[in-house]
């Protein structure tokens, strides 16, 4: 199964193919599928080419190298559904059905694709087989910690100098990954958090930056290894906004089969969406209390979702929110009580004004403003009409004279 | 064309549904109802079940798309690099919301989650061209390349709601 980090496949598909042949030989399988997102056309075309080459040299097909062992590989293109990463949903998708998870047991190893025993593994796992077989288990185990052996590939991205794929030995600290390998944060900004493990993972702050990268340690601090996504955030990233972003994602990707995930994450999203709202005249005087109560109830809601969802998507959906709440409580409180977003991301809490001394009157912002909230004569200072402004930030992006102030 | 696309697949085999739909979409740009009806008969599956599958996956479209498809990445890495602003910039430049096609059928705006180019986030993809590390200021310049006549630049008002 191919995801984000497995972009390395663009480079070394033969390692995967060999690993799959060995794995198939071990379990006596004659058919293998590589499930790859259709969004990665380059990976698909390289894989297709490599499979053809292997077939040409008799490494795939019937009676491989006179071993009487037959094995064929097929690429299945995903059709854009995150939940299809879940193993039972993946099987449903290959069978041509809606990719909805099923309760386990029966586990795929007992009854999987077409009702036959099936083994599902990550691309990284399968690619490791080749090196382990040829160099031995001791060699593989010589790298890593006591419980997490070997190496792990991460996709560094976000606010970090060196982006791209890195393979690190298990057990080095997050700090080393961010500041040594990743080269730190660009533009002298301050590190705020690193999000590990994709939408199921957590956001880890500076206070736990000395955490070792291994399965157990990451779990202890509220994140997980997951897909190997490693997104670095700096002081310009708002943690409330990140929580809202992930909940939105989960909401649109939830398959809708079970209630806790389908409805519960919707309620979580509603609670989070009420945090960054601006104060308005005539607002219900209990509004503040309600928003606060929402956050208090969030933890319980999250526990129910985690314990009762059918598949990993729902079970891990609360993680990014909970870790944010745990490590960035002060930021939530600031949004709730002071109605302020220190990173300037929650647009609703901002006021846009034009510095009349810097404005050249070019009129660019006026043309860009979608709600006609900016007025002014060409060549003269422009003004923002606050009640028309929807705080979209377009004027800020377009002004070439840095005349737009935000606070 | 429909016949050829469908005939490549074995009759009565329901498991080929997703690749079949992908091929139909490649050939027509979307999933036309009459072709789906034909496909349903070919693989022996009710049209309603095909509709169920086609609407489950984000990839499939039941309405025709524009000539140029703009896909804006809203994955995590791009979000951290302000892809929300890029999307907003495109929305206002084209006067379209995600999933809509402009009235002159020149542009379709779509949102995807991660197109696998996170290291050059924020990314947009127009047809098969990738634009990485883009800023709102560059949007007009990029869109110009795909305008049919320069005179019409960025004033495709009143969108037609499709999807
Ligand atoms: C919602 C969801 C999405 C997933 N997406 C992926 C994915 O994109 N790629 C992947 O390799 N595993 C993904 N997984 C994990 C797989 O289901 C499976 O557990 C894993 O690939 C097993 O491989 P391993 O034991 O070799 O790690 C996902 C799991 C869930 C619950
Ligand atoms: S947890 Fe969510 S994605 Fe998983 S089966 Fe339930 S509704 Fe579907
Ligand atoms: S874009 Fe900047 S300089 Fe031009 S009118 Fe607006 S605020 Fe003034
Ligand atoms: S923030 Fe948006 S709505 Fe407000 S003045 Fe600027 S461009 Fe107009
Ligand atoms: S998040 Fe945009 S390309 Fe990966």
């Amino acid at each position: 199964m191919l995801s984000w980090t497995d972009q390395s496949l663009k480079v070394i598909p033969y390692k995967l193919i060999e690993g799959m042949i060995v794995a198939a030989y071990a379990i006596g399988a004659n058919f293998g599928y590589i499930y790859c997102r259709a969004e990665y056309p380059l990976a698909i075309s390289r894989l297709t080419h490599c499979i053809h080459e292997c077939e040409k040299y008799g490494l795939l097909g019937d009676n491989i190298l006179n071993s009487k062992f037959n094995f064929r590989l097929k690429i299945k293109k995903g059709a854009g559904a995150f939940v299809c990463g879940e193993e039972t949903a993946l099987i449903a998708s290959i069978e041509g059905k809606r990719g909805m998870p099923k309760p386990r047991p029966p586990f795929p190893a007992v009854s999987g694709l077409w009702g036959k025993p099936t083994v599902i593994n990550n691309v990284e796992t399968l690619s490791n087989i080749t090196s382990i077989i040829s160099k031995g288990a001791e060699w593989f185990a010589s790298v890593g910690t006591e419980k997490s052996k070997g190496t792990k590939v991460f996709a560094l991205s976000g606010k970090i100098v060196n982006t791209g794929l890195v393979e690190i030995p298990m057990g080095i600290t997050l700090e080393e990954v961010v500041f040594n390998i990743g080269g730190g944060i660009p533009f002298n900004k301050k590190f705020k958090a690193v999000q590990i493990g994709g939408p199921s993972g957590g956001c880890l702050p500076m206070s736990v930056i000395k955490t070792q990268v291994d399965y157990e340690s990451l779990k202890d601090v509220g994140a997980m290894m997951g897909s190997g996504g490693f997104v670095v955030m700096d002081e310009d990233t708002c943690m409330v906004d990140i929580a809202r972003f992930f909940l939105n994602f989960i909401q649109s990707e939830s398959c809708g089969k079970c209630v806790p995930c389908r409805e519960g994450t919707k309620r979580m999203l509603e609670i989070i969406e009420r945090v960054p709202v601006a104060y308005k005249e005539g607002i219900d005087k209990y509004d503040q209390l309600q928003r606060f109560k929402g956050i208090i109830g969030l933890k319980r809601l999250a526990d129910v979702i985690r314990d009762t969802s059918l598949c990993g998507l729902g079970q891990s959906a609360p993680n990014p929110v909970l870790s944010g709440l745990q490590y960035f409580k002060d930021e939530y409180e600031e949004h709730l009580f002071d109605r302020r977003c220190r990173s300037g991301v929650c647009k609703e809490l901002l006021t846009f004004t034009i510095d009349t001394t810097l404005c050249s009157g070019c009129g660019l912002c006026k043309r860009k403003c979608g709600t006609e909230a900016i007025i002014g004569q060409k060549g003269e200072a422009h003004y923002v009409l606050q009640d028309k402004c929807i705080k979209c930030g377009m004027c800020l992006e377009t002004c070439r004279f840095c005349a737009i102030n935000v606070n | 064309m429909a016949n050829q696309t469908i005939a490549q697949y074995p009759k009565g085999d329901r498991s080929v549904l997703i690749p079949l739909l992908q091929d139909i979409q490649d050939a027509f740009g979307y999933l036309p109802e009459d072709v789906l009806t034909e496909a349903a008969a070919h693989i022996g599956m009710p049209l309603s079940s095909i509709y169920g599958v086609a609407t489950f996956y984000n990839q499939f479209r039941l309405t025709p798309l524009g000539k140029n498809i703009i896909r804006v990445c809203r994955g995590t890495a791009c979000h951290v690099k302000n892809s929300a602003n890029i999307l907003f910039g495109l929305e206002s430049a084209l006067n379209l919301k995600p999933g809509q096609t402009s009235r002159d059928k020149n542009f379709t705006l779509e949102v995807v989650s991660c197109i696998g180019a996170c290291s050059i986030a924020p990314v947009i993809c127009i047809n098969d061209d990738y634009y990485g590390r883009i800023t709102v200021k560059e949007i007009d310049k990029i869109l110009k390349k795909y305008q049919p006549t320069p005179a019409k630049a960025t004033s495709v008002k009143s969108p037609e709601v499709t999807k």
Side-chain angles (χ1 to χ4, degrees):
Chain A
M1 189 186 326
L2 247 173
S3 65
W4 200 11
T5 27
D6 307 322
Q7 290 284 312
S8 49
L9 262 202
K10 283 179 188 164
V11 198
I12 39 164
Y14 287 119
K15 248 184 120 171
L16 169 71
I17 296 175
E18 191 178 344
M20 286 188 80
I21 298 172
V22 174
Y25 185 74
I27 61 167
N30 298 115
F31 221 98
Y33 289 94
I34 301 174
Y35 191 89
C36 179
R37 296 188 60 201
E39 284 87 347
Y40 303 157
L42 191 61
I44 294 182
S45 70
R46 297 229 170 122
L47 265 171
T48 315
H49 169 80
C50 294
I51 291 177
H52 279 313
E53 288 292 295
C54 289
E55 281 165 354
K56 217 162 72 191
Y57 287 97
L59 297 169
L60 281 173
D62 291 334
N63 194 14
I64 296 171
L65 303 177
N66 280 327
S67 60
K68 301 212 172 64
F69 172 66
N70 310 330
F71 185 61
R72 271 165 224 287
L73 258 184
K74 211 168 158 178
I75 298 172
K76 278 274 170 182
K77 269 195 286 176
F82 176 67
V83 65
C84 286
E86 202 280 337
E87 46 190 27
T88 52
L90 179 87
I91 289 171
S93 167
I94 293 181
E95 288 174 350
K97 302 183 191 135
R98 287 162 70 95
M100 298 225 219
K102 283 194 206 119
R104 291 169 298 182
F107 285 91
V110 178
S111 167
L113 190 61
W114 319 118
K116 296 194 180 125
T118 306
V119 169
I120 300 179
N121 275 108
N122 181 270
V123 166
E124 216 178 328
T125 311
L126 290 165
S127 305
N128 275 336
I129 292 181
T130 317
S131 334
I132 296 176
I133 294 273
S134 57
K135 295 186 188 158
E138 290 80 40
W139 167 82
F140 187 75
S142 69
V143 180
T145 64
E146 198 190 323
K147 281 197 178 146
S148 303
K149 301 290 183 203
T151 60
K152 169 79 196 160
V153 178
F154 280 108
L156 302 193
S157 62
K159 306 282 183 64
I160 190 160
V161 173
N162 304 326
T163 53
L165 295 177
V166 293
E167 183 173 5
I168 56 152
M170 295 274 196
I172 71 172
T173 63
L174 290 172
E175 190 175 24
E176 283 174 85
V177 182
V178 175
F179 293 100
N180 297 354
I181 302 171
I185 317 293
F187 311 117
N188 284 325
K189 296 267 183 180
K190 263 192 11 229
F191 171 89
K192 184 180 272 185
V194 50
Q195 210 280 344
I196 305 182
S200 342
C203 300
L204 304 177
M206 200 62 178
S207 58
V208 294
I209 193 102
K210 300 253 189 261
T211 307
Q212 285 191 357
V213 180
D214 63 54
Y215 292 96
E216 296 77 28
S217 312
L218 283 182
K219 214 164 167 191
D220 288 345
V221 291
M224 60 189 256
M225 203 76 91
S227 59
F230 196 103
V231 186
V232 181
M233 301 164 185
D234 69 1
E235 52 191 305
D236 293 339
T237 315
C238 167
M239 299 319 286
V240 178
D241 174 68
I242 291 294
R244 181 174 48 185
F245 170 79
F246 279 118
L247 283 172
N248 255 317
F249 178 78
I250 295 292
Q251 259 294 292
S252 60
E253 293 300 328
S254 163
C255 81
K257 184 165 179 165
C258 58
V259 180
C261 167
R262 185 186 66 223
E263 300 298 329
T265 57
K266 178 109 189 141
R267 299 289 93 82
M268 282 182 87
L269 178 61
E270 284 168 2
I271 293 171
I272 294 288
E273 274 179 339
R274 289 189 66 187
V275 174
V277 289
Y279 181 78
K280 284 195 193 73
E281 275 311 318
I283 204 169
D284 176 6
K285 64 178 172 183
Y286 297 116
D287 170 78
Q288 187 86 323
L289 186 66
Q290 294 293 345
R291 289 160 72 220
F292 185 62
K293 259 173 72 185
I295 293 292
I296 303 287
L298 204 57
K299 177 83 178 62
R300 232 194 94 208
L301 184 55
D303 286 342
V304 173
I305 296 173
R306 184 159 46 194
D307 294 342
T308 56
S309 289
L310 174 60
C311 84
L313 189 142
Q315 287 157 11
S316 61
N319 287 355
V321 182
L322 289 183
S323 63
L325 213 51
Q326 178 187 350
Y327 292 120
F328 301 95
K329 209 165 119 215
D330 49 337
E331 246 179 85
Y332 276 84
E333 283 170 356
E334 223 171 73
H335 282 78
L336 272 177
F337 303 122
D338 308 341
R339 311 223 184 215
R340 202 179 106 138
C341 175
R342 64 171 84 165
S343 323
V345 174
C346 297
K347 295 269 160 58
E348 219 202 306
L349 300 179
L350 305 176
T351 349
F352 289 79
T353 47
I354 292 174
D355 186 336
T356 44
T357 54
L358 289 177
C359 176
S360 73
C362 68
L364 201 60
C365 59
K366 188 173 156 187
R367 258 178 285 140
K368 280 283 169 188
C369 176
T371 57
E372 298 176 354
I374 297 178
I375 51 164
Q377 296 286 326
K378 202 146 187 92
E380 286 171 27
H382 283 51
Y383 296 90
V384 178
L385 301 173
Q386 291 305 334
D387 47 348
K388 274 194 169 181
C389 172
I390 54 160
K391 329 214 179 216
C392 65
M394 260 331 252
C395 49
L396 182 70
E397 296 271 350
T398 41
C399 180
R400 292 198 169 88
F401 301 89
C402 305
I404 311 277
N405 282 335
V406 192
N407 39 42
Chain B
M1 185 156 69
N3 276 332
Q4 281 165 17
T5 314
I6 297 173
Q8 297 169 36
Y9 289 91
K11 250 183 144 57
D13 181 0
R14 295 177 176 209
S15 70
V16 300
L17 180 60
I18 291 171
L20 174 58
L21 293 182
Q22 282 168 336
D23 276 359
I24 297 177
Q25 181 146 308
D26 279 347
F28 294 89
Y30 74 112
L31 302 177
E33 193 178 333
D34 51 336
V35 181
L36 286 190
T37 317
E38 223 174 291
H42 186 80
I43 61 172
M45 198 169 172
L47 192 58
S48 57
S49 309
I50 295 191
Y51 181 77
V53 172
T55 49
F56 182 87
Y57 295 98
N58 298 332
Q59 188 189 10
F60 299 120
R61 299 274 161 269
L62 296 170
T63 44
L65 298 183
K67 195 163 136 253
N68 300 296
I69 298 155
I70 307 176
R71 294 189 293 155
V72 185
C73 177
R74 288 289 283 127
T76 317
C78 291
H79 178 75
V80 170
K81 291 279 191 96
N82 276 336
S83 62
N85 279 356
I86 307 288
L87 178 61
F88 189 84
L90 279 163
E91 281 177 6
S92 36
L94 298 163
N95 200 8
L96 291 175
K97 290 271 168 223
Q100 294 182 337
T101 300
S102 60
R103 184 160 280 185
D104 64 359
K105 300 262 183 289
N106 193 39
F107 286 117
T108 296
L109 187 62
E110 282 190 349
V111 168
V112 292
S113 46
C114 192
I115 35 184
C118 313
S119 51
I120 51 167
V123 192
I124 68 167
C125 172
I126 306 187
N127 306 330
D128 289 327
D129 310 331
Y130 287 75
Y131 297 90
R133 295 206 177 96
I134 66 162
T135 59
V136 172
K137 292 191 180 79
E138 289 167 71
I139 287 178
D140 284 348
K141 211 169 74 204
I142 295 174
L143 287 182
K144 265 211 183 84
K145 293 193 209 166
Y146 300 90
Q147 298 285 359
T149 48
K152 271 193 182 170
T154 67
S155 59
V156 223
K157 290 279 177 214
S158 55
E160 191 180 315
V161 184
T162 53
K163 183 170 173 121

